Amino acid sequence: MVEAASGARAGAATPSAVEVVRVEEKHAEALAEFFRQVWDPGATAETVRRDRATAAAVNPLGAGEDVPTFAFLSEGRALGYVTTIPAPLWSGGTEHRAHWVKGLWVLPEHRNGPIGFLLLKEAVRHLGCAMAMVVAPAPRRLFGALGFRDLGALPNHLRILRPARVLRRLELEKLGMEGIPGWAPTALRLAQRSGVASAAGAGAALALRLWSTVCGRSAGFALDSPAEVDAAEVDRLWQRARDALPAASIRDGSTLRWRYGGRTEKPYSFVAARRGGELAAVAVVRHPRPGGDERLAGLRVAVLSEVIFSPGRSRAGMAAIAGAERTARDLGADALLCSASHPALAALLPRRAFLRLPGNVHFM
C-alpha cells in the first residue's frame, strides 16, 4: 500500500527507495536523465536548474516561487513526472491561485502500475485549486478518481485556410473525434482518389473568403504583429474585459508575457488590434509544427491560443481573429484551430468561417 505523506512510499521498499517528491534542486540530475530518455537528449542537471529558476523568476502567482513539479523516484531514478502551469483565476470579482496539471509521463516499461496515480495524488495534495485538459478515457478516469470533475469536451472550431490541400490530405478516421458520421471517411477517400477533392477545395476557398468578408467584417482597426506585448497596455485591456466575465483565467500583461513571450525561439506570435491608438484586442497564435502534424497526414495546423477583448466590443474581437488568420497563413498553416467555450468568442468564430467540430479535449 502506498501513501502520500512527505513523499509516497510503496510496499516493502525502504523509505528512501521508492518515493514521490515535489522536485527540488537536489533532484536536477534525476530529472535530466528522465528528460534525456523522454524529450530532450541534450538535457543536463544545469539546464534543468536554469529552466526552473527562469520559470520561478516570472511565476505569475509570485515572483521567485518555484513552479510545482513532481517526480516518482526509485533508488534515485525518475520513473514518472508531472508538472504544472501557474494559472491565476478571476472569479467573483477577485483573483484566486490555481494551476494547470500537465506533462504527466511514465516511462513505458513502468506503465500499467500505480505511478501515474501516485504522482497526481501528490500533486493534488500540494496544489489546492487544480485543473487539467485531458483527451483519452484512461487519464480521465485517473483524474476522476482523484476528485476532478469532468466538465465536458471543449468545442473545436477550425478555420480552413487552404481548403484544396486539406481535402487532398485529410484522414478523418485519424482525428479521434466523436460524432463524425461513419460514411464520411469513405466518401472523402473516394473524392481524393477521383480528384474531386481538389476541385471542391478551390470552390470552398472562394466560398469561405466571401463568407468571412460579408459576415465577419472588422473595419476600423489597425492590426500589427508585435514581437512582444506591452504589459501596461494589456493590463488596461484586461481590466476593461474582466468586469464582464464571471470567471476566467487572468490575462493581464505579466501573465501573457510569462506564458507566451520572452523566448529566443518562441513558438507564438502576437496580434494586436488597435483603434484610435488604444489596444482593443490581442490574439496569440501558436505556430504549426515545422513538419506538419503526423496525425493529420502532415497538415500544418496553427492554434488560436488566446483572444482577449471586452465582450461588448465584438468588432475588436473580430479584428483580432482576422489578424490571427493572416498570421497563420504567413506561417504556412493549412488551418487554424480554436477551442473556445466563452459565448462572446464562440459567437464570432462562425462569422469568420470557422467550422465547429466535435470536441475531444475534456476540461477537468
Side-chain angles (χ1 to χ4, degrees):
M1 178 129 184
V2 182
E3 298 180 354
S6 58
R9 298 174 177 83
T14 60
S16 61
V18 177
E19 55 185 345
V20 180
V21 299
R22 178 165 175 167
V23 170
E24 302 174 17
E25 185 173 344
K26 65 183 179 182
H27 302 118
E29 185 56 59
L31 238 58
E33 180 187 356
F34 184 86
F35 291 166
R36 286 194 294 270
Q37 288 183 264
V38 176
W39 294 304
D40 181 6
T44 65
E46 182 55 35
T47 62
V48 169
R49 293 190 186 97
R50 183 191 65 210
D51 291 347
R52 284 178 51 77
T54 299
V58 293
N59 187 337
L61 295 179
E65 288 187 28
D66 77 300
V67 175
T69 300
F70 305 88
F72 184 100
L73 303 178
S74 176
E75 301 289 351
R77 179 179 174 233
L79 306 183
Y81 165 92
V82 69
T83 190
T84 62
I85 298 176
L89 294 179
W90 173 260
S91 179
T94 58
E95 298 184 4
H96 303 270
R97 293 173 62 91
H99 291 82
W100 289 105
V101 179
K102 63 160 291 188
L104 176 62
W105 194 269
V106 178
L107 294 180
E109 63 269 28
H110 295 281
R111 292 176 185 170
N112 301 318
I115 294 178
F117 177 84
L118 293 174
L119 279 166
L120 291 177
K121 182 179 179 182
E122 185 71 1
V124 168
R125 192 176 73 83
H126 284 264
L127 293 178
C129 180
M131 305 171 290
M133 297 285 193
V134 189
V135 176
R140 295 209 305 266
R141 290 192 295 269
L142 181 58
F143 277 91
L146 288 164
F148 284 76
R149 181 181 175 188
D150 189 343
L151 299 178
L154 295 176
N156 289 317
H157 303 262
L158 189 70
R159 174 65 159 98
I160 300 176
L161 304 174
R162 293 180 171 83
R165 176 173 158 82
V166 170
L167 288 176
R168 285 197 305 266
R169 304 191 67 167
L170 187 62
E171 298 177 40
L172 290 177
E173 59 269 29
K174 292 186 178 180
L175 294 180
M177 293 181 176
E178 301 172 357
I180 296 176
W183 52 265
T186 301
L188 179 58
R189 284 195 296 272
L190 289 173
Q192 290 166 337
R193 291 168 186 164
S194 65
V196 171
S198 295
L206 179 61
L208 292 173
R209 191 178 305 116
L210 179 62
W211 177 272
S212 61
T213 300
V214 173
C215 299
R217 288 177 293 179
S218 55
F221 292 88
L223 296 173
D224 68 316
S225 300
E228 293 286 350
V229 291
D230 182 281
E233 274 194 311
V234 177
D235 283 344
R236 291 191 291 271
L237 173 61
W238 167 247
Q239 287 164 8
R240 294 194 301 270
R242 71 182 187 181
D243 292 336
L245 300 171
S249 294
I250 291 174
R251 286 298 180 257
D252 58 15
S254 61
T255 302
L256 208 65
R257 292 185 68 177
W258 169 80
R259 185 79 187 269
Y260 301 111
R263 298 172 175 84
T264 304
E265 298 288 339
K266 64 178 183 180
Y268 297 98
S269 291
F270 295 108
V271 176
R274 290 185 171 84
R275 190 165 198 170
E278 179 187 67
L279 184 65
V282 171
V284 181
V285 178
R286 182 177 176 87
H287 300 178
R289 297 179 183 178
D293 191 327
E294 61 184 19
R295 299 167 300 177
L296 300 174
L299 291 172
R300 293 166 56 85
V301 180
V303 178
L304 184 52
S305 299
E306 303 278 356
V307 184
I308 305 167
F309 63 98
S310 297
R313 300 185 67 181
S314 61
R315 284 194 177 274
M318 200 88 74
I321 297 168
E325 294 169 24
R326 184 182 68 187
T327 296
R329 284 194 190 92
D330 291 343
L331 291 167
D334 299 307
L336 180 62
L337 178 68
C338 180
S339 296
S341 58
H342 195 282
L345 176 56
L348 300 183
L349 295 173
R351 294 168 61 183
R352 289 297 312 172
F354 279 74
L355 307 175
R356 179 162 175 152
L357 300 176
N360 63 340
V361 178
H362 287 243
F363 176 35
M364 301 187 74

